Every structure is written in C-alpha cells, then in structure tokens.
Amino acid sequence: QVRLVESGGGSVQVGGSLTLFCQGSGVTFLYCVGWFRQAPGKEREGVAFISRGDNEYYDDSVKGRFTISQSNADNVENMLYLQMNSLKPEDTAMYYCAAVSCAWGARPREREEFNFWGQGTQVTVSS
C-alpha cells in the first residue's frame, strides 16, 4: 500500500525559498517519483522527477531554481524533497508528490503516468 503525505508549504515573498517534503510509505527503488503543481483554473503540471537509478529531470519552467532529492530510497519508508529557490508569483500553486512503479530507463512526466498521489500542500508567492 503506497501512501504519500506532503508538508512544508506556505507563503513566501518573491525571490525567497521554500522546501517541500513528501513522506512516502510503500514506495521503493522500483518507483519513479515526482512533484506536480496545479494553479487555480489550470491543469496539473509536472515540475521535477526522479527516475529509477536516481536520474533527476525537470520542467523548463523550474530548471536551475528547483532541486528534487530523496532519502532512504531503498527503504519502504522514505522522504522526497523539493527545494525551491528564486520563487516567482507564477510558482503559486498546490503542490503534489506522486509515484508510479516504473521500468528501468523510463522517465514519466505526465499526470496520467502516475497513479499514487498525496493530498497536496499550498505554496503562495507574493510580491
């Protein structure tokens, strides 16, 4: 049974930083994991991912500003992080962590490719 619980969201000013956390249970090294976000009236979009083998990949909108990482990936209980720097108003959204059992070499990035989700944590960036 996979369970994902996000935390760490909040309000920050433009240019500030924030770290999001996702406590995972039942997610092992056989999974690809990622962070998505959804702003009001917009589609949920992927921002950062880790494939099997710890390969990180990012959406162009956050490349160079956001960093995804994970700890204890080999354990059934582990943590996924999203370090967000140089935040912009357009980063304001509900952020979700997600996971999917994936093949070696796969690099899923679309919402439909992930089947386990957390409940979300709100990030608000104000000027």
Side-chain angles (χ1 to χ4, degrees):
Q1 184 78 7
V2 173
R3 186 166 180 258
L4 303 170
V5 180
E6 301 96 335
S7 61
S11 296
V12 64
Q13 292 193 324
V14 170
S17 299
L18 208 58
T19 302
L20 304 184
F21 305 87
C22 176
Q23 176 72 55
S25 59
V27 180
T28 71
F29 62 92
L30 298 177
Y31 283 71
C32 294
V33 293
W35 286 96
F36 286 74
R37 65 186 180 188
Q38 187 167 17
K42 294 190 175 181
E43 296 290 319
R44 190 172 298 188
E45 62 178 5
V47 296
F49 311 89
I50 300 178
S51 65
R52 287 179 60 181
D54 290 334
N55 295 307
E56 304 167 19
Y57 49 107
Y58 299 88
D59 184 79
D60 287 344
S61 64
V62 305
K63 204 171 290 184
R65 301 188 299 121
F66 289 13
T67 303
I68 188 172
S69 60
Q70 62 182 6
S71 61
N72 298 322
D74 293 340
N75 295 337
V76 69
E77 300 284 333
N78 46 57
M79 187 73 79
L80 184 67
Y81 308 89
L82 185 67
Q83 175 65 45
M84 305 185 293
N85 299 325
S86 303
L87 283 162
K88 306 175 181 180
E90 51 264 42
D91 294 320
T92 295
M94 185 73 78
Y95 282 72
Y96 301 88
C97 63
V100 61
S101 177
C102 65
W104 186 267
R107 294 164 66 93
R109 60 171 63 236
E110 302 297 331
R111 176 181 184 173
E112 304 76 46
E113 297 179 275
F114 288 80
N115 57 355
F116 296 104
W117 295 87
Q119 82 290 346
T121 186
Q122 177 68 38
V123 172
T124 302
V125 184
S126 57
S127 54

